[in-house]
Amino acid sequence: GGVKDKIPEMEGGKAQDLYLPQTRALRSIMKFVKSELEHYEQMSGKEKKENSHIPLTMYGIAKAAAVDARLVQSDAEDDQNSKTNEAVRQTLRSLKETADYKGTVAIFADNYQNKQSGFNLYDDIRNKLIAEGVPADEIVVMRSGMTVKKKLEIFEKVNRGEVRVILGSTFTLGTGVNIQERLHTLIHLDAPNRPMDYTQRNGRIIRQGNMNKEVKVFNYVTEGTFDSYLYQTLENKQRFISQIMTSKSPVRSCEDVDEQALSYAEIKAL
């Protein structure tokens, strides 16, 4: 095997956690989430049964807001410290750094649409990159419902460096996608729910046939949200799964790891 067969190393030996401060809008959303959960906690058993959707709904709101408050609150300001704007800055740095060989960037987010307002995270990043001088035809957003032929054409363009930025979800960009040839930077704007999804996303860049010896992988973490907990849980589950795969002795069921739902105490501690 030649150099082509080698799998690239991650810079620093692992995915880098990039911490971002809470935005103003996010702080008020997290306040709301906490008060709703406190209210739920004080309900009687019967009331809790009737309102059993509350914890999950609040969890969904908090998770999306940690990516960008505009996903939850239509009139939230476009904060400079949001993950969205940090992704724009990082992408511009990576494009510049790899300009001589047309290196590429992949951006993952599973929370990307505010159905009420129509705000779309991918389009926001795309428009901002175009405004900073990245040619529009070098940025592609993967949409569900694309034909196989269309997808393959896009992936070939990424491999040739004709498309230099590709954005999508675990579903549209995470599996069976060969875009590794020039892929230099991969950004996780959110943590997917399952360890296998996280592994699949990373498998786009940590893959044979990548011309980069070293690549960058970023986990974007907003302080004071569920983010760091979520990435930690993914790592723990992953470790647990690897133990099962490699262990000869029977292991306790995976449930004790999977049921690590956020406890009320942990939410209060945020």
Side-chain angles (χ1 to χ4, degrees):
V3 177
K4 270 241 140 129
D5 303 333
K6 288 210 172 73
I7 291 175
E9 299 286 328
M10 283 195 210
E11 192 179 276
K14 61 180 180 19
Q16 301 173 48
D17 291 340
L18 185 84
Y19 288 92
L20 294 158
Q22 270 193 16
T23 62
R24 243 199 342 224
L26 177 60
R27 268 200 297 278
S28 68
I29 293 165
M30 290 304 285
K31 229 190 218 147
F32 163 74
V33 165
K34 282 186 200 175
S35 72
E36 287 293 296
L37 288 168
E38 276 167 20
H39 177 60
Y40 174 79
E41 227 20 63
Q42 282 151 13
M43 288 178 184
S44 67
K46 183 172 176 291
E47 282 178 313
K48 274 190 177 153
K49 269 207 180 75
E50 288 162 6
N51 292 284
S52 59
H53 65 282
I54 288 179
L56 210 58
T57 305
M58 288 305 122
Y59 175 70
I61 287 174
K63 196 174 171 185
V67 180
D68 193 303
R70 291 172 296 169
L71 290 170
V72 172
Q73 192 183 316
S74 303
D75 61 351
E77 64 182 335
D78 182 5
D79 195 297
Q80 275 313 299
N81 289 320
S82 70
K83 290 184 181 182
T84 312
N85 287 315
E86 181 54 43
V88 170
R89 291 189 288 266
Q90 178 60 55
T91 300
L92 291 168
R93 281 197 296 272
S94 289
L95 292 178
K96 199 172 166 190
E97 209 177 300
T98 62
D100 57 338
Y101 65 92
K102 295 194 169 81
T104 60
V105 178
I107 301 172
F108 278 99
D110 291 348
N111 296 278
Y112 57 87
Q113 181 87 40
N114 182 331
K115 290 198 168 66
Q116 261 100 26
S117 69
F119 169 77
N120 182 296
L121 190 79
Y122 304 145
D123 292 332
D124 191 56
I125 292 174
R126 184 172 184 273
N127 294 336
K128 284 171 176 166
L129 289 171
I130 292 169
E132 290 288 342
V134 181
D137 58 1
E138 291 187 11
I139 311 162
V140 171
V141 176
M142 297 304 293
R143 316 271 181 194
S144 48
M146 281 180 170
T147 63
V148 174
K149 186 169 174 285
K150 171 105 172 118
K151 284 185 191 172
L152 289 175
E153 277 170 14
I154 292 168
F155 301 154
E156 277 169 21
K157 282 182 176 173
V158 176
N159 280 330
R160 289 199 298 265
E162 289 164 25
V163 166
R164 295 191 63 199
V165 184
I166 189 163
L167 303 102
S169 64
T170 307
F171 178 69
T172 58
L173 192 58
T175 46
V177 172
N178 289 315
I179 50 169
Q180 69 273 15
E181 289 187 27
R182 295 167 197 271
L183 198 52
H184 170 269
T185 302
L186 187 146
I187 296 171
H188 297 280
L189 290 181
D190 56 11
N193 292 326
R194 305 174 305 176
M196 65 182 258
D197 292 338
Y198 184 67
T199 308
Q200 284 291 357
R201 286 179 178 192
N202 285 336
R204 297 319 98 218
I205 194 166
I206 306 299
R207 202 178 182 87
Q208 282 182 332
N210 190 327
M211 61 170 67
N212 293 293
K213 287 194 183 70
E214 198 173 61
V215 293
K216 295 179 195 279
V217 177
F218 293 103
N219 300 328
Y220 279 16
V221 182
T222 306
E223 291 166 352
T225 66
F226 303 154
D227 279 353
S228 49
Y229 171 85
L230 292 169
Y231 285 114
Q232 194 54 55
T233 307
L234 282 179
E235 280 174 24
N236 292 345
K237 282 187 192 173
Q238 192 57 58
R239 215 171 288 131
F240 189 79
I241 290 163
S242 322
Q243 278 171 0
I244 294 174
M245 297 301 213
T246 54
S247 158
K248 309 242 182 319
S249 57
V251 189
R252 286 198 321 279
S253 85
C254 196
E255 269 169 34
D256 49 355
V257 177
D258 229 1
E259 293 312 306
Q260 274 186 331
L262 270 168
S263 73
Y264 178 55
E266 282 166 318
I267 291 165
K268 278 215 315 215
L270 285 174

